[in-house]
Amino acid sequence: MEAPQQKRSDSIVIIPMYNECENAAAIIDAVIALPVRFDILVIDDNSPDGTATIVKGKIAQYQGRVEIIERKGKLGLGTAYLTGFKHALKEGYEFICEMDADFSHDPKDLIRLRNTAIEEKADVVVGSRYVTGVNVVNWPMGRVLMSYYASKYVRLITRMPVHDTTAGFVCYRRKVLETLDLDKVKFKGYAFQIEMKFTAYKFGFKVVEIPIIFVNRVLGTSKMNSGIFGEAVFGVIRLKWNSFFNKYQRNNG
């Protein structure tokens, strides 16, 4: 097996996009402008609004900093991240982050995620909406309650010491993604986020939450729906049950 190619940066952020023409250029510009270098990998699921064309313009503008993987259709958030994770591992990145394209996650907080991984020797750093209360702006109250209590429920069932189990703003060290068998990740929607954190926790990796402020998107259309939360709530029972029959052993280092 060939050794991974080492990039000039040790950090990459994976940003799935579908119909994000209003946000694509701005989110890329914001990440590129950070004082710490993060390369960008966009996973586009054949957006009919021209998102990929906008991203390709940014690839030309920021040569060597931005990449895109185009898929043939909407294949699920989880599979988008898994595709991105495998690419990032192959390219030799140490810190592999995920975030939304719609500015619900502040790009400046990428630095805080990475710094926490370094300073606290954390393996997984979660940008958490709920570790210090409820830090959500402009969400309808029903959606806030659904998300908050879904995370409480997941924590109760799994006993995982994470307050925001469905968070999609996360930094992984490469050793975590190398240890988890990415081909065996079962969930494709937002329950994917729970499965990744839970599996990392079961393998004994250090998971740390830092507080962030989550802001509801201003531009574009949300991809969230009640079915997504349904998968998270009901799927976690199967996740916990299966964990009784799995062996979580990893190489030290």
Side-chain angles (χ1 to χ4, degrees):
M1 182 176 180
E2 295 183 4
Q5 175 185 354
Q6 181 60 53
K7 294 284 189 179
R8 283 177 293 169
S9 173
D10 63 359
S11 305
I12 188 170
V13 57
I14 301 164
I15 310 177
M17 293 190 187
Y18 182 76
N19 285 351
E20 292 289 356
C21 65
E22 298 98 333
N23 295 303
I27 195 72
I28 291 171
D29 289 342
V31 173
I32 293 295
L34 295 174
V36 174
R37 173 169 171 161
F38 285 83
D39 293 337
I40 301 168
L41 173 62
V42 172
I43 311 294
D44 180 74
D45 276 3
N46 196 26
S47 301
D49 70 347
T51 294
T53 300
I54 294 170
V55 174
K56 289 173 184 176
K58 292 299 176 181
I59 290 173
Q61 181 179 353
Y62 302 119
Q63 294 187 13
R65 298 289 308 275
V66 184
E67 296 180 273
I68 187 171
I69 294 177
E70 296 180 83
R71 306 198 300 174
K72 294 182 179 180
K74 293 186 71 174
L75 303 176
L77 181 74
T79 64
Y81 278 128
L82 292 172
T83 296
F85 290 159
K86 291 176 182 179
H87 180 82
L89 290 175
K90 182 180 70 173
E91 294 296 324
Y93 290 98
E94 172 62 26
F95 301 101
I96 301 165
C97 301
E98 55 175 65
M99 69 180 293
D100 292 346
D102 60 5
F103 286 93
S104 55
H105 305 133
D106 186 343
K108 294 177 183 177
D109 285 333
L110 285 168
I111 297 173
R112 295 176 56 225
L113 293 179
R114 181 180 180 275
N115 285 348
T116 300
I118 295 170
E119 294 166 5
E120 299 191 26
K121 295 181 171 56
D123 301 308
V124 182
V125 184
V126 179
S128 176
R129 298 164 290 186
Y130 307 130
V131 71
T132 57
V134 178
N135 295 321
V136 176
V137 177
N138 292 336
W139 256 11
M141 182 55 65
R143 189 167 163 187
V144 172
L145 293 174
M146 186 186 300
S147 173
Y148 179 77
Y149 284 109
S151 279
K152 287 284 189 183
Y153 167 80
V154 171
R155 190 178 184 193
L156 176 67
I157 297 296
T158 63
R159 301 297 179 180
M160 176 171 50
V162 176
H163 293 83
D164 193 351
T165 56
T166 61
F169 194 28
V170 185
C171 176
Y172 295 95
R173 284 187 179 270
R174 69 174 292 114
K175 66 181 179 181
V176 177
L177 301 180
E178 288 174 331
T179 299
L180 276 60
D181 189 341
L182 299 180
D183 290 326
K184 290 185 178 179
V185 175
K186 294 181 175 61
F187 293 113
K188 302 299 185 285
Y190 276 73
F192 161 84
Q193 302 290 5
I194 301 169
E195 183 174 1
M196 289 294 295
K197 297 177 187 68
F198 179 68
T199 308
Y201 163 68
K202 293 295 288 185
F203 268 108
F205 288 110
K206 183 178 180 180
V207 182
V208 173
E209 286 184 278
I210 63 170
I212 64 159
I213 296 175
F214 180 95
V215 181
N216 193 28
R217 69 161 62 232
V218 175
L219 300 173
T221 303
S222 174
K223 316 312 188 282
M224 189 77 69
N225 58 56
S226 59
I228 286 172
F229 281 110
E231 180 196 42
V233 170
F234 295 109
V236 72
I237 297 174
R238 180 157 56 95
L239 186 65
K240 177 65 174 180
W241 175 258
N242 290 339
S243 73
F244 293 123
F245 306 98
N246 292 335
K247 293 182 178 179
Y248 298 94
Q249 295 178 333
R250 61 186 173 97
N251 295 327
N252 294 325

